[in-house]
C-alpha cells in the first residue's frame, strides 16, 4: 500500500525513501533502479568530472526511468572548488525538479535553484544548521544523525535525539538520514515525526549499485562496529569503513606531533577510495560506510529492497497501532 506523507506528495513517489547522494556510487544505474522501485533515486553531481558529464548522466537516467529522480550537489572545502553553479545550471537546464544539497555555504546554489521552483532537500547534522537552511528557503531537511556514513559533523548527536529535536523545533518537514536499512527503521522515523528516510549504505549493497561485488560482500560480513571516525583532529570528521588504511590514518592523527594535515592526506585520498569500488579490494583506500552496515545481511535488487521495507513498515505500524485498545476492553 503506497504511503501518503508530505515527502511522497511533494516528490511524486510511492514510498518515502530517498537514495542519498554518494560519491562514486550515485550513477544512473542505481538512481533509476531506486526510482523505478517507488523511491527517489539521486545522481551525485560531483561524481561526474564536469557539468557536461552530469548532463549526459541525467539524459542517460531519463532513458532508464520515467519516474522522478534528483541530483545531489555537495559543497565541501577545497583548494580548487568545482563550479557548483554550473552543475546547478545543468540540473535546471535538464528539467531536474528535485535537488539534494549538503555542505558549506550552499546559499548561492540554493538561491539559483529556488528561482526556478526546484524542490530542495538539504542535509544537515545539527538543528542550528537546519535553522540556517530554513532561512535559505529549503523545502525539506534531511536530518543526518551521528550513525551516518561520511561527514558526521562535530556534535555526535544520534538520530533518536536529533529527530525528536527536529520535531520539536523545525517548521519545515524533514526526513531521517543515518542508520536506516529496513521497514522497522522507516516506521520509527515516521513515528518520530519524519516524513520519510534517506538511505545510502543500504543502497550500496544492492544488485544495481555500480560497485564491485566484493565490496558488497564486505558490507554483508561487517558488523556495526566496523567503521572508523577519521579527521576529527581537523574538525572534518568522517565515518569510514574500518580497514588497514583508516586505522593507519587514525594512528597518525593521534600520534602526530605537528598536527599537519599533510601527514594524513595520502591515506584519505578520494582517488584511492574510488579505486576500491572498481578493483574490489576493501583495504586499497578509504570508503564511506555507516554503522548501519551491521543491519545489512543481503544484496537484493532495489525493487525487492524497497518493497520489503514498505511491507515491513506497514506491518510494524499496524502492530504498534494494535497495542492501543479501548479502556473498556482492559
Amino acid at each position: 500500500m503506497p504511503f501518503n506523507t508530505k515527502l511522497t506528495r511533494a516528490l511524486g513517489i510511492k514510498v518515502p525513501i530517498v537514495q542519498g547522494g554518494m560519491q562514486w556510487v550515485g550513477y544512473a544505474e542505481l538512481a533509476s533502479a531506486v526510482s523505478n522501485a517507488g523511491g527517489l533515486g539521486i545522481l551525485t553531481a560531483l561524481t561526474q568530472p564536469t557539468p557536461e558529464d552530469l548532463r549526459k548522466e541525467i539524459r542517460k537516467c531519463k532513458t532508464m526511468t520515467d519516474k522522478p529522480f534528483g541530483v545531489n550537489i555537495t559543497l565541501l572545502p577545497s583548494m580548487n572548488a568545482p563550479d557548483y553553479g554550473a552543475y546547478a545550471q545543468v540540473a535546471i537546464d535538464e528539467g531536474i525538479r528535485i535537488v539534494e544539497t549538503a555542505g558549506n555555504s550552499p546559499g548561492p546554489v540554493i538561491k539559483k535553484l529556488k528561482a526556478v521552483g526546484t524542490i530542495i532537500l538539504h542535509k544537515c547534522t545539527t538543528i542550528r544548521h537546519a535553522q540556517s537552511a530554513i532561512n535559505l528557503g529549503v523545502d525539506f531537511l534531511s536530518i543526518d544523525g551521528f550513525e551516518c556514513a561520511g561527514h558526521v559533523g562535530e556534535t555526535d548527536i544520534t538520530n533518536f535525539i536529533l529527530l525528536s529535536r527536529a520535531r520539536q523545533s523545525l517548521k519545515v518537514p524533514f526526513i531521517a538520514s543515518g542508520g536506516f536499512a529496513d521497514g522497522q527503521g522507516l516506521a520509527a522515523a515516521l513515528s518520530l515525526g519524519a516524513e520519510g528516510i534517506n538511505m545510502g549504505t543500504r543502497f550500496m549493497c544492492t544488485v544495481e549499485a555500480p560497485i564491485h561485488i566484493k565490496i558488497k560482500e564486505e558490507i554483508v560480513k561487517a558488523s556495526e562496529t566496523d567503521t572508523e571516525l577519521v579527521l576529527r583532529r581537523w574538525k572534518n570528521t568522517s565515518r569510514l569503513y574500518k580497514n588497514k588504511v583508516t586505522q593507519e590514518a587514525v594512528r597518525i592523527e593521534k600520534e602526530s606531533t605537528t598536527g599537519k594535515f599533510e601527514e594524513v592526506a595520502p591515506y584519505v585520498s578520494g582517488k584511492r577510495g574510488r579505486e576500491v569500488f572498481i578493483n574490489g579490494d576493501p583495504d586499497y583506500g578509504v570508503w564511506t560506510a555507516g554503522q548501519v552496515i551491521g543491519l545489512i545481511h543481503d544484496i537484493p535488487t532495489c525493487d525487492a529492497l524497497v518493497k520489503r521495507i514498505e511491507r515491513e513498515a506497514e506491518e510494524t505500524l499496524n502492530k504498534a497501532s494494535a497495542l492501543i485498545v479501548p479502556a473498556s476492553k482492559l
Side-chain angles (χ1 to χ4, degrees), residues 9-190:
R9 293 195 298 272
L11 306 190
I13 59 178
K14 292 182 178 180
V15 187
I17 298 174
V18 175
Q19 166 247 311
M22 292 176 280
Q23 188 74 336
W24 316 127
V25 182
Y27 292 97
E29 291 81 1
L30 179 60
S32 62
V34 174
S35 291
N36 286 333
L40 182 79
I42 290 185
L43 299 174
T44 305
L46 297 188
T47 287
Q48 303 301 323
T50 70
E52 284 306 307
D53 287 302
L54 174 61
R55 189 188 307 277
K56 293 175 185 175
E57 196 71 8
I58 290 171
R59 291 179 178 180
K60 178 181 178 181
C61 199
K62 287 178 178 178
T63 70
M64 302 173 76
T65 184
D66 59 358
K67 303 295 192 297
F69 66 91
V71 167
N72 165 280
I73 301 176
T74 298
L75 299 88
L76 295 174
S78 174
M79 294 293 289
N80 298 295
D83 188 346
Y84 298 116
Y87 280 98
Q89 189 59 52
V90 164
I92 292 169
D93 294 343
E94 293 301 314
I96 297 297
R97 68 179 195 89
I98 305 163
V99 171
E100 178 188 60
T101 57
N104 302 324
S105 304
V109 167
I110 290 176
K111 183 178 180 181
K112 186 184 191 78
L113 292 164
K114 289 304 299 177
V116 294
T118 307
I119 296 173
I120 304 293
L121 289 72
H122 185 72
K123 187 175 286 188
C124 41
T125 60
T126 68
I127 298 302
R128 179 171 62 85
H129 291 151
Q131 296 286 10
S132 297
I134 290 173
N135 294 336
L136 295 174
V138 303
D139 300 277
F140 288 88
L141 292 156
S142 186
I143 302 298
D144 226 2
F146 186 57
E147 307 93 326
C148 73
H151 295 277
V152 299
E154 306 302 322
T155 56
D156 300 3
I157 308 298
T158 56
N159 256 329
F160 208 72
I161 300 301
L162 201 55
L163 295 176
S164 289
R165 283 285 290 115
R167 184 188 69 250
Q168 291 175 347
S169 59
L170 300 181
K171 304 301 181 185
V172 166
F174 62 92
I175 64 175
S177 180
F180 295 96
D182 53 33
Q184 288 80 5
L186 172 56
L190 295 173

